[in-house]
Amino acid sequence: MAVSSALPSPPLIAVAATLMLLIVQAQGITRHYDFNVQMANVTRLCATKSMVTVNGECPGPELVAREGDRVVVRVTNNVAHNLTLHWHGVRQVRTGWADGPAYITQCPIQTGQSYVYNFTVDGQRGTLWWHAHISWLRATVYGAIVILPKLGVPYPFPAPHKEVPVVFGEWWTADTEAVISQAMQTGGGPNVSDAFTINGLPGPLYNCSAQDTFKLKVKPGKTYMLRLINAALNDELFFSIANHTLTVVEVDAVYVKQFTVDTLVISPGQTTNVLLAAKPYYPGANFHMSAAPYSTARPGTFANTTVAGILEYENPSSPSTASFVKSLPLLKPSLPQLNDTDFVTNYTTKLRSLASAQYPVAVPRSVDRRFFFTVGLGTLPCPANTTCQGPNGTQMAAAMNNVSFVLPSRALLQSHFTGLSRGVYASDFPVVPLSPFNYTGTPPNNTHVATGTKLLVLPFNTSVELVMQDTSILGAESHPLHLHGFNFFVVGQGFGNYDPVNDPAKFNLVDPVERNTVGVPAGGWVAIRFLADNPGVWFMHCHLEVHTTWGLRMAWLVLDGSLPNQKLLPPPSDLPKC
């Protein structure tokens, strides 16, 4: 049947707008950011210091994109330190040159130079973050990444009234580069921080700090999504809001089955989105939002303080009241004991992927390669004619499979890409411990570790199962392990020594949580699976910065596949030189 030409045709503008929307949904748009690395004077705890920042801010600028967008960040280095930036949790499929860890995927951006990080946010949505990835500069160089769903795609939960980034940090009155430099010279542990911060502010529980308090004002009856990020250098944190519950909906930019808690735990490198339902009525009180450390390490080796922000309510009877009402009662949450490993275990085992039709779980069901890594502390001999402050006069160290990783002087990715790897790295990282022992029992007498720059090579599309086993050498500790370039599935965890015969039967292959950073339990083990479908050199390390500095790090080399879209793209022309 013919259609009458008399029917009104839609305006061309509307058609063009619809086509543009479809194109944007399919391809995304390009978002440009200028990050100027510069010194800024900042006063906290009655002390002023000059510190490295991006655009003069700490936290630095929030990077916002939609799933499918291309992100282009021009980073110009105007400080005396060489520096790189890492986009933590962004997959960087075939764009390893933009990943950012110094001497792994690039040489640092030198003083007065700039580099453009150019990558696409593909198949990801949620909260991630960016930070400096050289030495300890991420103490002040960090910020949030907010990846919104594609246009027209809702959250798998009711849309919140407002979204608020809540970034936990760690504050040193001293220069952190001097702190770690001194520790490396003495061989002992570094000085701990003076305060934790929320969005850069230490809050009222520290001396001379009440004026620097993060305050969140909410309306009764509304729901708020807090985008929590742990950017602290060396501390896992408990977080709670007095007299309120938090509904966990996402971790590491992956939706999870919702569950509600009074308190959660978040490790350095991790992100967690929670829904905060404000009370339906004006409560006539203010509420502390508090964070304090979780650690099983020896006292004095970590910061044991509490940071607080304040949750306040808009009073419907006088909504124009802008200032904070000090006269109201102030309620404080009770946080777990600092070494409450049972609480941490109960919380982490609640994390499950949605495993829905729209958000399926792509956990590898079969495994091509199995690996077993020990993860823990150790020592190195004290250099001749020096005195060291580590155990029994040694230097503190850390290792995976007893290899304490030494950063090369040339970037690994470029060395691989150009075929000039001789003298830069070896491809013989041990797949299992070379000298097995009772990992969580009485530690061996010899705590020395080997050193080297060793990679583990994987053919493209290898399905990997990796068990990471904590050791009791110098004390059992939780280690948040971060893998660059991939998400992985946490299929199992337990305490004591991993049992390769009986433990795999308990693995969750139905709805395991998908993450980029996972805690290896103190005195226990964790099993992860991932598909090595991203060619390049990918760093894996503990996100406690002191452990990374001591050598608790390694790298995977994933080879190119046979198809054009399975190969690492060539390096950009402005890639920094060493």
Side-chain angles (χ1 to χ4, degrees):
M1 178 179 143
V3 177
S4 166
S5 60
L7 287 175
S9 58
L12 287 175
I13 294 174
V15 173
T18 304
L19 282 172
M20 185 60 70
L21 176 62
L22 291 171
I23 291 169
V24 165
Q25 282 179 318
Q27 297 180 340
I29 61 173
T30 300
R31 297 174 187 259
H32 293 268
Y33 289 87
D34 278 301
F35 278 21
N36 290 302
V37 181
Q38 60 196 69
M39 302 302 290
N41 288 331
V42 179
T43 302
R44 297 282 184 269
L45 314 180
C46 274
T48 301
K49 76 171 186 178
S50 181
M51 67 188 206
V52 183
T53 68
V54 169
N55 297 356
E57 303 167 352
C58 180
E62 184 178 296
L63 194 157
V64 180
R66 282 197 184 276
E67 179 183 345
D69 286 354
R70 176 175 291 280
V71 177
V72 179
V73 188
R74 174 177 291 278
V75 177
T76 305
N77 185 4
N78 298 307
V79 302
H81 300 283
N82 293 344
L83 176 133
T84 67
L85 293 186
H86 168 53
W87 319 94
H88 183 115
V90 175
R91 283 282 323 267
Q92 300 290 2
V93 177
R94 301 174 62 217
T95 53
W97 311 104
D99 190 41
Y103 301 106
I104 306 298
T105 59
Q106 67 167 103
C107 300
I109 307 166
Q110 298 183 17
T111 304
Q113 301 295 308
S114 63
Y115 178 49
V116 176
Y117 290 93
N118 187 335
F119 55 89
T120 300
V121 182
D122 210 13
Q124 295 182 274
R125 80 293 306 161
T127 304
L128 295 171
W129 64 300
W130 58 266
H131 59 82
H133 212 305
I134 187 169
S135 190
W136 278 27
L137 290 179
R138 77 172 180 85
T140 56
V141 180
Y142 62 87
I145 298 177
V146 173
I147 307 169
L148 301 169
K150 287 186 176 181
L151 279 170
V153 178
Y155 295 131
F157 46 83
H161 172 67
K162 192 176 178 185
E163 302 179 9
V164 184
V166 176
V167 188
F168 304 111
E170 208 163 356
W171 176 266
W172 274 261
T173 301
D175 173 12
T176 46
E177 291 305 281
V179 168
I180 187 55
S181 175
Q182 179 192 25
M184 295 305 285
Q185 286 172 8
T186 65
N191 291 337
V192 301
S193 61
D194 297 287
F196 295 112
T197 57
I198 298 177
N199 290 345
L201 304 171
L205 301 182
Y206 298 102
N207 287 336
C208 191
S209 183
Q211 74 279 7
D212 295 318
T213 299
F214 172 68
K215 297 186 177 79
L216 175 60
K217 194 159 200 170
V218 297
K219 294 182 177 181
K222 299 292 187 184
T223 297
Y224 296 77
M225 184 161 79
L226 309 184
R227 296 179 177 270
L228 307 176
I229 299 168
N230 187 348
L233 251 65
N234 293 316
D235 293 270
E236 302 182 78
L237 295 169
F238 295 117
F239 175 68
S240 183
I241 302 177
N243 284 39
H244 290 73
T245 57
L246 303 169
T247 299
V248 179
V249 294
E250 176 204 300
V251 296
D252 292 1
V254 181
Y255 298 132
V256 296
K257 291 184 171 75
Q258 297 179 32
F259 63 99
T260 300
V261 295
D262 296 321
T263 303
L264 57 81
V265 65
I266 183 168
S267 298
Q270 292 182 338
T271 65
T272 305
N273 284 6
V274 296
L275 299 179
L276 166 67
K279 297 183 181 301
Y281 52 86
Y282 178 67
N286 295 319
F287 306 88
H288 265 184
M289 314 162 56
S290 301
Y294 160 65
S295 179
T296 61
R298 299 188 308 281
T301 60
F302 62 94
N304 188 12
T305 63
T306 302
V307 62
I310 295 177
L311 178 72
E312 52 179 328
Y313 276 74
E314 194 176 282
N315 190 342
S317 61
S318 56
S320 60
T321 307
S323 60
F324 175 62
V325 183
K326 277 187 178 177
S327 58
L328 293 175
L330 179 60
L331 303 178
K332 300 180 181 181
S334 62
L335 292 169
Q337 293 294 305
L338 65 91
N339 62 350
D340 194 343
T341 297
D342 286 346
F343 178 93
V344 173
T345 305
N346 289 336
Y347 174 79
T348 54
T349 53
K350 288 186 177 119
L351 294 167
R352 302 292 177 106
S353 288
L354 275 186
S356 64
Q358 191 171 5
Y359 301 102
V361 172
V363 59
R365 307 287 298 193
S366 61
V367 172
D368 298 322
R369 299 286 307 275
R370 285 184 165 84
F371 303 100
F372 182 84
F373 292 179
T374 56
V375 173
L377 304 183
T379 57
L380 285 167
C382 195
N385 303 319
T386 58
T387 303
C388 289
Q389 296 175 5
N392 302 316
T394 61
Q395 292 184 82
M396 289 295 300
M400 301 176 77
N401 272 354
N402 210 49
V403 178
S404 184
F405 188 91
V406 178
L407 285 178
S409 55
R410 292 184 54 203
L412 298 175
L413 186 60
Q414 199 163 15
S415 302
H416 159 64
F417 187 81
T418 57
L420 301 173
S421 61
R422 181 170 300 190
V424 181
Y425 66 82
S427 301
D428 59 351
F429 186 89
V431 299
V432 294
L434 298 180
S435 303
F437 61 98
N438 182 4
Y439 306 114
T440 55
T442 304
N445 291 329
N446 181 2
T447 60
H448 284 346
V449 297
T451 58
T453 309
K454 296 174 182 288
L455 275 60
L456 212 161
V457 180
L458 296 171
F460 183 82
N461 251 2
T462 302
S463 59
V464 174
E465 180 179 285
L466 168 64
V467 175
M468 291 181 282
Q469 171 76 58
D470 184 36
T471 76
S472 57
I473 296 174
L474 304 183
E477 284 189 51
S478 172
H479 297 279
L481 260 290
H482 171 48
L483 174 61
H484 290 228
F486 300 93
N487 281 353
F488 50 76
F489 295 92
V490 184
V491 296
Q493 64 178 50
F495 290 99
N497 297 341
Y498 173 70
D499 180 346
V501 175
N502 296 308
D503 284 332
K506 305 169 199 160
F507 285 178
N508 174 14
L509 302 180
V510 176
D511 59 353
V513 68
E514 184 180 346
R515 308 209 68 145
N516 63 58
T517 305
V518 67
V520 179
W525 55 271
V526 67
I528 66 171
R529 288 187 181 184
F530 67 95
L531 185 67
D533 59 355
N534 191 7
V537 177
W538 303 109
F539 207 23
M540 189 169 81
H541 59 95
C542 181
H543 225 282
L544 303 179
E545 209 59 38
V546 59
H547 292 174
T548 300
T549 305
W550 285 340
L552 213 169
R553 51 196 179 188
M554 60 81 69
W556 303 84
L557 168 52
V558 179
L559 302 174
D560 280 352
S562 55
L563 301 177
N565 66 349
Q566 297 173 343
K567 297 182 190 303
L568 177 68
L569 293 169
S573 58
D574 63 341
L575 187 71
K577 293 177 171 56
C578 286

